[in-house]
Amino acid sequence: MADISLTFPDGASRSYPAGITPAEVAADISKSLAKKAISATVDGQHFDLQWPIGHNADIALNTMADDAPALELIRHDLAHVMARAVQELWPDVKVTIGPVISNGWYYDFDRAEPFTPEDLGAIEKKMREIINLRDPVRTEVWERDRAIAHYRAADEPYKVELIEGIPGDQPLRMYWHGHWQDLCRGPHLQTTGQLPADAFKLMSVAGAYWRGDSNRAMLQRIYGVGFRNRDDLKAHLTMLEEAAKRDHRRLGREMDLFHMQEEAPGQVFWHPNGWKIYTTLQDYMRRQQQQGGYVEVNTPQVVDRKLWEASGHWEKYQDNMFIVEVDEEHAREKAINALKPMNCPCHVQIFNQGLKSYRELPLRMAEFGSCNRYEPSGALHGIMRVRGFTQDDAHIFCTEDQIESETKKFIDFLAAIYADLGFPEFKVKFSDRPKTRAGADDVWDKAESALMQATEAAGYDFTLNPGEGAFYGPKLEFVLTDAIGRDWQCGTLQVDFVLPERLDATYIGSDGAKHRPVMLHRAVLGSFERFIGILIEEHAGRLPFWLAPRQVVVASIVSEADEYVTEVVAALQKAGVRAEADLRNEKINYKVREHSLGKVPVILAIGAREVGERTVSVRRLGDTRTDSAGFDEIVAQLAAEAAPPDLR
RNA sequence: GCCGCACUAGCUCAGCUGGUAGAGCAUCGCAUUCGUAAUGCGGAGGUCAGGGGUUCGAAUCCCUUGUGCGGCACCA
């Protein structure tokens, strides 16, 4: 066989017979490397030690010291070991797929009985036993027919279906972890003995549809996390505990911001503290919109189905709308209405009043639109995913030529607001045409290219989300991440050539003829509910001073200070600071603890000394030090801090 | 919506295999005037999510409805 040349990371090259495996290369270099190696990187591809190398290539041998390959292999092999453990414990369980995900892996099984928490413990135990067997990992390439026949004989229908879905010319790779066999593209470790038996944990079991299709079988998915060593695992589990403390549902209760109850599932009862955040944010957004050239409107909640039929929403989203039927006792004819699930059709109605000139475009029409959607019960999540919410919604009516400049303008607008609100980083996703959609393909071509060009012109990278666009047009999504790493879409920008057509929106062009405007649907926060949920989690409840619902508590140390405390509170309130007095007959320790737990950013403690000096003792949240400040000084300072970022 | 799990005082939670409900914190009362993360004592507070069943007897077992939680699917 011809020789090939392999180039190592240090630049050195060696000649080997073609078809040599990385394992053999490692053995050629040293015995210890042969033992320590876990995989190779060949021309940038993660490569199994057993795979033959057929041509000249760059090669690096990986060990457990190499982060990315090590973690990928640990998690991938653990997925296989878990599936083997499950089938050893319950031989009738059918296996499906088990990919690596962030921090771990999952594997989907078909089993009649549900897996219990006790089962997870038994599986973990069996996994450790398997790891301790130090079984070799072996791989072979199989012919397709042989693989199908094998899985038919083994009564593994999901594997048969997987293979049938793989293009015929693609080789099928089998892996054995000891006696246990799985179809897998690899790569894998040399032996299960290379797995850390004390650095993984099975986390949960959950339902998951086969191939993500809600019409198909519901499988049982077991999630696991795996790391290189026990300390990393412990650090991960600690991080999860810390993240749970930031959960907006928990902080919402602890800070007395809002509650929800079963008589109104998916809808928020805002308490005074939470509503203060909401209105402060809304006031800020209203000022931003005025600066950004928007006009603000307000439209009806209960709207006849005829409008939703005209817009096309009735056909597609009827099941997700709150239907309001007017009783025949109240009306001559029974009318079917829906609570508005979005604002766009109503905004077009405003646009359609009177003739619009091209001189009025772009017309940016904003509404803090209160919407209701009957979201599936399983989708509800705290105040992040609700059935009643308010969007910072706007529709920009413009010409095709204005799409690019309006898009760029909007992205800049959004980025500045996110920065003000403490989110300098966000993800951008571009979603193109979905399978079911309105409008002709050439219109979609136009919309997609206009939006993409504008995004690039604005200087933002985006990831493509194929087929995820709205039914009327492509969209950009601006995504923020919550405390436990879940992504939430907040801002959006959607190009729409369809709705103006359906609702017959027109303007008079410079040529004196009627033309269709384009609509850009856009939101920055998305919904106030979701955005506030993310704000709470991002700051772990310790909101920036200007957004904090309770900014200052002035606490007396002795009752002789009460009068002066009241005077300080009044002065702060007059200066626009949300201040309150705590005159209760309690120790200062007690008050400091309580208000600290309540995430009040500033506590001013006042005892006999402060009364005498007309000063205050200042304690900032998260800081155990205290400072002394004069009366006028602290009022001026806190008033300045209380100003929203756009008014500083 | 689907799969699984859960629901006990305002909150966090205990209550073994069925024998008739408990703690801490919060609340209320009394005492305490205290220097930066819990002052002491006392009182009150629950149709054990709702409904149905099994049983001499159900917080506990079964069915059902609701809501929540973790995923999946969905997200105009």
Side-chain angles (χ1 to χ4, degrees), chain A residues 294-321:
Chain A
Y294 290 80
V295 290
E296 187 176 331
V297 299
N298 195 266
T299 59
Q301 293 296 311
V302 181
V303 178
D304 195 291
R305 71 183 265 186
K306 287 198 284 279
L307 184 60
W308 307 115
E309 284 170 348
S311 71
H313 292 96
W314 186 264
E315 191 190 359
K316 193 164 183 349
Y317 291 108
Q318 189 182 344
D319 288 348
N320 297 305
M321 289 162 83

mmCIF file of all heavy atoms in Angstrom, chain A residues 294-321:
data_model
loop_
_atom_site.group_PDB
_atom_site.id
_atom_site.type_symbol
_atom_site.label_atom_id
_atom_site.label_comp_id
_atom_site.label_asym_id
_atom_site.label_seq_id
_atom_site.Cartn_x
_atom_site.Cartn_y
_atom_site.Cartn_z
ATOM 1 N N TYR A 294 -41.979 57.274 16.386
ATOM 2 C CA TYR A 294 -43.214 56.491 16.356
ATOM 3 C C TYR A 294 -44.384 57.339 16.811
ATOM 4 O O TYR A 294 -44.223 58.278 17.596
ATOM 5 C CB TYR A 294 -43.117 55.286 17.300
ATOM 6 C CG TYR A 294 -42.156 54.214 16.840
ATOM 7 C CD1 TYR A 294 -40.783 54.348 17.052
ATOM 8 C CD2 TYR A 294 -42.616 53.072 16.205
ATOM 9 C CE1 TYR A 294 -39.894 53.378 16.640
ATOM 10 C CE2 TYR A 294 -41.734 52.086 15.788
ATOM 11 C CZ TYR A 294 -40.370 52.233 16.008
ATOM 12 O OH TYR A 294 -39.508 51.263 15.597
ATOM 13 N N VAL A 295 -45.590 57.008 16.314
ATOM 14 C CA VAL A 295 -46.810 57.560 16.888
ATOM 15 C C VAL A 295 -47.470 56.427 17.679
ATOM 16 O O VAL A 295 -47.382 55.267 17.302
ATOM 17 C CB VAL A 295 -47.783 58.087 15.812
ATOM 18 C CG1 VAL A 295 -47.206 59.342 15.176
ATOM 19 C CG2 VAL A 295 -48.078 57.027 14.762
ATOM 20 N N GLU A 296 -48.097 56.784 18.813
ATOM 21 C CA GLU A 296 -48.703 55.748 19.644
ATOM 22 C C GLU A 296 -50.207 55.730 19.453
ATOM 23 O O GLU A 296 -50.844 56.785 19.368
ATOM 24 C CB GLU A 296 -48.367 55.989 21.125
ATOM 25 C CG GLU A 296 -48.841 54.851 22.009
ATOM 26 C CD GLU A 296 -48.437 55.024 23.479
ATOM 27 O OE1 GLU A 296 -47.397 55.656 23.744
ATOM 28 O OE2 GLU A 296 -49.184 54.531 24.336
ATOM 29 N N VAL A 297 -50.769 54.522 19.375
ATOM 30 C CA VAL A 297 -52.213 54.363 19.205
ATOM 31 C C VAL A 297 -52.721 53.358 20.224
ATOM 32 O O VAL A 297 -51.944 52.790 21.002
ATOM 33 C CB VAL A 297 -52.552 53.855 17.781
ATOM 34 C CG1 VAL A 297 -52.086 54.848 16.723
ATOM 35 C CG2 VAL A 297 -51.937 52.481 17.538
ATOM 36 N N ASN A 298 -54.031 53.158 20.228
ATOM 37 C CA ASN A 298 -54.610 52.109 21.062
ATOM 38 C C ASN A 298 -55.822 51.546 20.342
ATOM 39 O O ASN A 298 -56.593 52.297 19.747
ATOM 40 C CB ASN A 298 -55.007 52.668 22.440
ATOM 41 C CG ASN A 298 -55.260 51.558 23.427
ATOM 42 O OD1 ASN A 298 -56.383 51.119 23.603
ATOM 43 N ND2 ASN A 298 -54.199 51.078 24.046
ATOM 44 N N THR A 299 -55.993 50.224 20.376
ATOM 45 C CA THR A 299 -57.046 49.592 19.583
ATOM 46 C C THR A 299 -57.853 48.607 20.418
ATOM 47 O O THR A 299 -57.418 48.209 21.502
ATOM 48 C CB THR A 299 -56.443 48.866 18.356
ATOM 49 O OG1 THR A 299 -55.528 47.876 18.818
ATOM 50 C CG2 THR A 299 -55.715 49.842 17.442
ATOM 51 N N PRO A 300 -59.033 48.181 19.920
ATOM 52 C CA PRO A 300 -59.965 47.375 20.716
ATOM 53 C C PRO A 300 -59.430 45.984 21.074
ATOM 54 O O PRO A 300 -58.597 45.421 20.376
ATOM 55 C CB PRO A 300 -61.187 47.245 19.808
ATOM 56 C CG PRO A 300 -61.090 48.356 18.845
ATOM 57 C CD PRO A 300 -59.628 48.589 18.638
ATOM 58 N N GLN A 301 -60.000 45.455 22.174
ATOM 59 C CA GLN A 301 -59.654 44.123 22.663
ATOM 60 C C GLN A 301 -60.489 43.036 22.019
ATOM 61 O O GLN A 301 -60.006 41.948 21.752
ATOM 62 C CB GLN A 301 -59.908 44.039 24.184
ATOM 63 C CG GLN A 301 -59.006 44.897 25.012
ATOM 64 C CD GLN A 301 -57.579 44.463 24.898
ATOM 65 O OE1 GLN A 301 -57.265 43.302 25.034
ATOM 66 N NE2 GLN A 301 -56.715 45.407 24.619
ATOM 67 N N VAL A 302 -61.787 43.337 21.871
ATOM 68 C CA VAL A 302 -62.716 42.314 21.389
ATOM 69 C C VAL A 302 -63.105 42.686 19.966
ATOM 70 O O VAL A 302 -63.671 43.757 19.734
ATOM 71 C CB VAL A 302 -63.976 42.259 22.285
ATOM 72 C CG1 VAL A 302 -64.925 41.179 21.787
ATOM 73 C CG2 VAL A 302 -63.573 42.012 23.730
ATOM 74 N N VAL A 303 -62.747 41.824 19.016
ATOM 75 C CA VAL A 303 -62.894 42.174 17.607
ATOM 76 C C VAL A 303 -63.595 41.029 16.874
ATOM 77 O O VAL A 303 -63.279 39.856 17.090
ATOM 78 C CB VAL A 303 -61.505 42.440 16.977
ATOM 79 C CG1 VAL A 303 -61.638 42.756 15.494
ATOM 80 C CG2 VAL A 303 -60.802 43.585 17.705
ATOM 81 N N ASP A 304 -64.528 41.393 16.018
ATOM 82 C CA ASP A 304 -65.314 40.410 15.272
ATOM 83 C C ASP A 304 -64.424 39.476 14.455
ATOM 84 O O ASP A 304 -63.437 39.902 13.868
ATOM 85 C CB ASP A 304 -66.277 41.149 14.331
ATOM 86 C CG ASP A 304 -67.358 40.207 13.801
ATOM 87 O OD1 ASP A 304 -67.029 39.300 13.010
ATOM 88 O OD2 ASP A 304 -68.521 40.383 14.210
ATOM 89 N N ARG A 305 -64.857 38.223 14.401
ATOM 90 C CA ARG A 305 -64.051 37.226 13.678
ATOM 91 C C ARG A 305 -63.845 37.587 12.215
ATOM 92 O O ARG A 305 -62.891 37.129 11.601
ATOM 93 C CB ARG A 305 -64.688 35.831 13.778
ATOM 94 C CG ARG A 305 -65.975 35.682 12.974
ATOM 95 C CD ARG A 305 -66.578 34.323 13.162
ATOM 96 N NE ARG A 305 -66.197 33.373 12.111
ATOM 97 C CZ ARG A 305 -66.710 32.146 12.025
ATOM 98 N NH1 ARG A 305 -67.585 31.719 12.927
ATOM 99 N NH2 ARG A 305 -66.345 31.340 11.063
ATOM 100 N N LYS A 306 -64.748 38.418 11.680
ATOM 101 C CA LYS A 306 -64.621 38.797 10.265
ATOM 102 C C LYS A 306 -63.246 39.415 9.978
ATOM 103 O O LYS A 306 -62.644 39.158 8.943
ATOM 104 C CB LYS A 306 -65.722 39.795 9.883
ATOM 105 C CG LYS A 306 -67.099 39.157 9.767
ATOM 106 C CD LYS A 306 -68.072 40.025 8.983
ATOM 107 C CE LYS A 306 -68.587 41.199 9.775
ATOM 108 N NZ LYS A 306 -69.700 40.881 10.699
ATOM 109 N N LEU A 307 -62.772 40.227 10.929
ATOM 110 C CA LEU A 307 -61.463 40.844 10.706
ATOM 111 C C LEU A 307 -60.346 39.794 10.749
ATOM 112 O O LEU A 307 -59.396 39.848 9.968
ATOM 113 C CB LEU A 307 -61.203 41.941 11.752
ATOM 114 C CG LEU A 307 -59.897 42.719 11.542
ATOM 115 C CD1 LEU A 307 -59.868 43.428 10.202
ATOM 116 C CD2 LEU A 307 -59.664 43.719 12.670
ATOM 117 N N TRP A 308 -60.501 38.814 11.655
ATOM 118 C CA TRP A 308 -59.457 37.777 11.760
ATOM 119 C C TRP A 308 -59.510 36.843 10.560
ATOM 120 O O TRP A 308 -58.474 36.316 10.141
ATOM 121 C CB TRP A 308 -59.613 36.982 13.065
ATOM 122 C CG TRP A 308 -59.672 37.881 14.266
ATOM 123 C CD1 TRP A 308 -60.723 38.058 15.110
ATOM 124 C CD2 TRP A 308 -58.634 38.765 14.716
ATOM 125 N NE1 TRP A 308 -60.410 38.996 16.061
ATOM 126 C CE2 TRP A 308 -59.146 39.450 15.840
ATOM 127 C CE3 TRP A 308 -57.353 39.051 14.263
ATOM 128 C CZ2 TRP A 308 -58.391 40.391 16.537
ATOM 129 C CZ3 TRP A 308 -56.607 40.003 14.962
ATOM 130 C CH2 TRP A 308 -57.129 40.655 16.074
ATOM 131 N N GLU A 309 -60.706 36.676 10.005
ATOM 132 C CA GLU A 309 -60.810 35.881 8.773
ATOM 133 C C GLU A 309 -60.120 36.613 7.632
ATOM 134 O O GLU A 309 -59.381 36.017 6.849
ATOM 135 C CB GLU A 309 -62.278 35.616 8.428
ATOM 136 C CG GLU A 309 -62.900 34.547 9.307
ATOM 137 C CD GLU A 309 -64.422 34.458 9.144
ATOM 138 O OE1 GLU A 309 -65.017 35.367 8.521
ATOM 139 O OE2 GLU A 309 -64.991 33.490 9.652
ATOM 140 N N ALA A 310 -60.355 37.925 7.582
ATOM 141 C CA ALA A 310 -59.746 38.708 6.498
ATOM 142 C C ALA A 310 -58.219 38.701 6.615
ATOM 143 O O ALA A 310 -57.510 38.621 5.605
ATOM 144 C CB ALA A 310 -60.281 40.141 6.530
ATOM 145 N N SER A 311 -57.718 38.746 7.826
ATOM 146 C CA SER A 311 -56.262 38.812 8.001
ATOM 147 C C SER A 311 -55.617 37.451 7.791
ATOM 148 O O SER A 311 -54.411 37.353 7.590
ATOM 149 C CB SER A 311 -55.919 39.328 9.397
ATOM 150 O OG SER A 311 -56.238 38.356 10.376
ATOM 151 N N GLY A 312 -56.426 36.384 7.880
ATOM 152 C CA GLY A 312 -55.883 35.042 7.705
ATOM 153 C C GLY A 312 -55.577 34.347 9.017
ATOM 154 O O GLY A 312 -55.247 33.170 9.038
ATOM 155 N N HIS A 313 -55.680 35.071 10.127
ATOM 156 C CA HIS A 313 -55.346 34.464 11.418
ATOM 157 C C HIS A 313 -56.378 33.436 11.870
ATOM 158 O O HIS A 313 -56.040 32.470 12.545
ATOM 159 C CB HIS A 313 -55.198 35.548 12.489
ATOM 160 C CG HIS A 313 -54.010 36.421 12.264
ATOM 161 N ND1 HIS A 313 -54.093 37.631 11.630
ATOM 162 C CD2 HIS A 313 -52.702 36.231 12.539
ATOM 163 C CE1 HIS A 313 -52.880 38.168 11.549
ATOM 164 N NE2 HIS A 313 -52.026 37.339 12.090
ATOM 165 N N TRP A 314 -57.629 33.706 11.492
ATOM 166 C CA TRP A 314 -58.690 32.802 11.938
ATOM 167 C C TRP A 314 -58.427 31.379 11.459
ATOM 168 O O TRP A 314 -58.523 30.427 12.207
ATOM 169 C CB TRP A 314 -60.050 33.293 11.433
ATOM 170 C CG TRP A 314 -61.204 32.498 11.955
ATOM 171 C CD1 TRP A 314 -61.842 31.471 11.341
ATOM 172 C CD2 TRP A 314 -61.839 32.657 13.227
ATOM 173 N NE1 TRP A 314 -62.824 30.966 12.137
ATOM 174 C CE2 TRP A 314 -62.861 31.676 13.310
ATOM 175 C CE3 TRP A 314 -61.656 33.529 14.309
ATOM 176 C CZ2 TRP A 314 -63.701 31.548 14.421
ATOM 177 C CZ3 TRP A 314 -62.483 33.400 15.409
ATOM 178 C CH2 TRP A 314 -63.486 32.412 15.459
ATOM 179 N N GLU A 315 -58.049 31.277 10.201
ATOM 180 C CA GLU A 315 -57.835 29.968 9.619
ATOM 181 C C GLU A 315 -56.686 29.236 10.312
ATOM 182 O O GLU A 315 -56.759 28.052 10.600
ATOM 183 C CB GLU A 315 -57.520 30.122 8.122
ATOM 184 C CG GLU A 315 -57.535 28.813 7.381
ATOM 185 C CD GLU A 315 -56.981 28.961 5.964
ATOM 186 O OE1 GLU A 315 -56.612 30.094 5.572
ATOM 187 O OE2 GLU A 315 -56.923 27.958 5.277
ATOM 188 N N LYS A 316 -55.625 29.965 10.599
ATOM 189 C CA LYS A 316 -54.431 29.314 11.112
ATOM 190 C C LYS A 316 -54.414 29.214 12.635
ATOM 191 O O LYS A 316 -53.881 28.256 13.191
ATOM 192 C CB LYS A 316 -53.191 30.075 10.638
ATOM 193 C CG LYS A 316 -51.886 29.322 10.844
ATOM 194 C CD LYS A 316 -50.798 29.949 10.006
ATOM 195 C CE LYS A 316 -49.450 29.252 10.062
ATOM 196 N NZ LYS A 316 -49.187 28.252 11.028
ATOM 197 N N TYR A 317 -54.976 30.192 13.319
ATOM 198 C CA TYR A 317 -54.793 30.254 14.766
ATOM 199 C C TYR A 317 -56.069 30.202 15.585
ATOM 200 O O TYR A 317 -56.052 30.491 16.775
ATOM 201 C CB TYR A 317 -54.003 31.521 15.130
ATOM 202 C CG TYR A 317 -52.581 31.436 14.671
ATOM 203 C CD1 TYR A 317 -52.117 32.191 13.605
ATOM 204 C CD2 TYR A 317 -51.699 30.567 15.297
ATOM 205 C CE1 TYR A 317 -50.812 32.095 13.175
ATOM 206 C CE2 TYR A 317 -50.384 30.460 14.883
ATOM 207 C CZ TYR A 317 -49.951 31.227 13.814
ATOM 208 O OH TYR A 317 -48.657 31.124 13.395
ATOM 209 N N GLN A 318 -57.161 29.834 14.945
ATOM 210 C CA GLN A 318 -58.447 29.803 15.637
ATOM 211 C C GLN A 318 -58.372 29.068 16.972
ATOM 212 O O GLN A 318 -58.885 29.531 17.982
ATOM 213 C CB GLN A 318 -59.451 29.114 14.731
ATOM 214 C CG GLN A 318 -60.874 29.184 15.220
ATOM 215 C CD GLN A 318 -61.799 28.422 14.271
ATOM 216 O OE1 GLN A 318 -61.422 28.122 13.142
ATOM 217 N NE2 GLN A 318 -62.984 28.131 14.737
ATOM 218 N N ASP A 319 -57.694 27.923 16.965
ATOM 219 C CA ASP A 319 -57.607 27.131 18.191
ATOM 220 C C ASP A 319 -56.833 27.832 19.290
ATOM 221 O O ASP A 319 -56.933 27.464 20.458
ATOM 222 C CB ASP A 319 -56.923 25.783 17.909
ATOM 223 C CG ASP A 319 -57.823 24.862 17.114
ATOM 224 O OD1 ASP A 319 -59.024 25.174 16.991
ATOM 225 O OD2 ASP A 319 -57.321 23.849 16.598
ATOM 226 N N ASN A 320 -56.045 28.795 18.910
ATOM 227 C CA ASN A 320 -55.230 29.484 19.910
ATOM 228 C C ASN A 320 -55.768 30.859 20.269
ATOM 229 O O ASN A 320 -55.064 31.670 20.843
ATOM 230 C CB ASN A 320 -53.790 29.614 19.402
ATOM 231 C CG ASN A 320 -53.146 28.257 19.211
ATOM 232 O OD1 ASN A 320 -53.104 27.458 20.127
ATOM 233 N ND2 ASN A 320 -52.687 27.982 18.017
ATOM 234 N N MET A 321 -57.035 31.105 19.883
ATOM 235 C CA MET A 321 -57.626 32.401 20.211
ATOM 236 C C MET A 321 -58.687 32.227 21.284
ATOM 237 O O MET A 321 -59.361 31.204 21.348
ATOM 238 C CB MET A 321 -58.242 33.024 18.949
ATOM 239 C CG MET A 321 -57.175 33.493 17.968
ATOM 240 S SD MET A 321 -57.790 33.747 16.299
ATOM 241 C CE MET A 321 -58.471 35.369 16.428
#
